[in-house]
Amino acid sequence: MLINGAGGGVGHLAVQLARWKGARVIAVASGKHEALMRDLGADQFIDYNKTSADTAVHDVDLVFDTVGGTAASRFLKTIRRAGALFLAFPLGFDAQDEAELLGITVSSTQVRSSGAQLKKAAPLLDDGTVRVVIDSTYPLASAARAHERAEQGSIQGKIVLVLE
Ligand SMILES: NC(=O)c1ccc[n+]([C@@H]2O[C@H](COP(=O)([O-])OP(=O)(O)OC[C@H]3O[C@@H](n4cnc5c(N)ncnc54)[C@H](OP(=O)(O)O)[C@@H]3O)[C@@H](O)[C@H]2O)c1
């Protein structure tokens, strides 16, 4: 499984859940995330500033693209026939026809609060199988600063707002 944007809020959790499920994980992110990605269990790391992941890798079963948009179609050539492309941000993806010709399933979903899923996740957090990495923390009253941090990009893990 290849995870693009692996250092971010969604990506770093996807890396850990994929490892938990037994996948061989290729993490794609900027170089500053390499040590964390290896620590979280990624089998291979690709710095997208040095190597184009979509051409460096072939025949993966699944690409989870957290960056998404129009550029996600470049990963179709990275996936084996009957494989899958999952988009965290599907807006702008316009290569459904090409995906169909290649036999690749493209899907997306919108996160919803689910007590049942959190109940399953809790033991994984308790026993350290999944770790939430914190990029930065702000009091709720400084939420604007949190947004400024988000706008800077290159986030590693989650931004947390603290209720006091
Ligand atoms: N469908 C849903 O329910 C759902 C839920 C949550 C989020 N989302 C969406 O998913 C996307 C990601 O959310 P997030 O919270 O993970 O964002 P984030 O924390 O900002 O993470 C994005 C990551 O992508 C990396 N990145 C930026 N450009 C890249 C590139 N060209 N190639 C590879 N990596 C790149 C960034 O760091 P580096 O550049 O340093 O590697 C960063 O770590 C957003 O569009 C968000 O709206 C969807």
Side-chain angles (χ1 to χ4, degrees), residues 4-5 7-11 29-30 33 48 66-67 88-89 109-111 154-155 157:
N4 189 42
V10 173
S30 69
H33 304 292
Y48 68 79
T66 79
V67 181
F89 182 73
T109 190
Q110 183 60 48
V111 73
S154 202
I155 291 169

Side-chain angles (χ1 to χ4, degrees), residues 16 20 39-40 121-132:
Q16 297 174 82
W20 171 61
D39 197 35
L40 296 181
L124 301 178
L125 292 159
D126 278 345
D127 70 14
T129 304
V130 173
R131 192 149 54 92
V132 179

